[in-house]
Amino acid sequence: MIPYLAQLPPDIYDGILTHVPRGERQQTTLSLTRVIPRFPVPLQHLFECIRLRSAESVVHLCRLRGRLEESRWVNEL
């Protein structure tokens, strides 16, 4: 199954991820990037709805400050 999933173009991943409920999209995207790390899973879904669940999450969010492109993807915090 993974070889077929890994062969999809970025727009297909994007289309699939837009159907995942917004609250689950970040974790789903992260899971996809771990399962198929060398393939073009759109990373903007990691940032569009940020949920801070621990102090460590806040530290990771602070790393976004210097990254202009990724910080533009944030729609909800």
Side-chain angles (χ1 to χ4, degrees):
M1 175 77 167
I2 290 179
Y4 298 112
L5 183 63
Q7 296 171 359
L8 297 174
D11 355 347
I12 300 296
Y13 290 115
D14 189 50
I16 292 169
L17 288 167
T18 58
H19 290 285
V20 174
R22 190 176 194 134
E24 299 172 22
R25 204 173 296 166
Q26 182 183 38
Q27 188 59 48
T28 303
T29 303
L30 184 60
S31 297
L32 272 175
T33 62
R34 288 180 177 167
V35 171
I36 48 175
R38 294 184 203 101
F39 296 91
V41 176
L43 297 180
Q44 69 263 23
H45 296 291
L46 286 173
F47 302 100
E48 54 184 27
C49 181
I50 295 178
R51 304 214 184 279
L52 302 175
R53 296 186 176 111
S54 67
E56 185 180 345
S57 297
V58 175
V59 172
H60 291 298
L61 180 63
C62 288
R63 293 182 187 159
L64 251 184
R65 284 193 302 193
R67 303 178 73 170
L68 188 58
E69 183 178 4
E70 287 89 346
S71 62
R72 289 182 181 164
W73 292 336
V74 177
N75 293 325
E76 183 180 322
L77 179 64

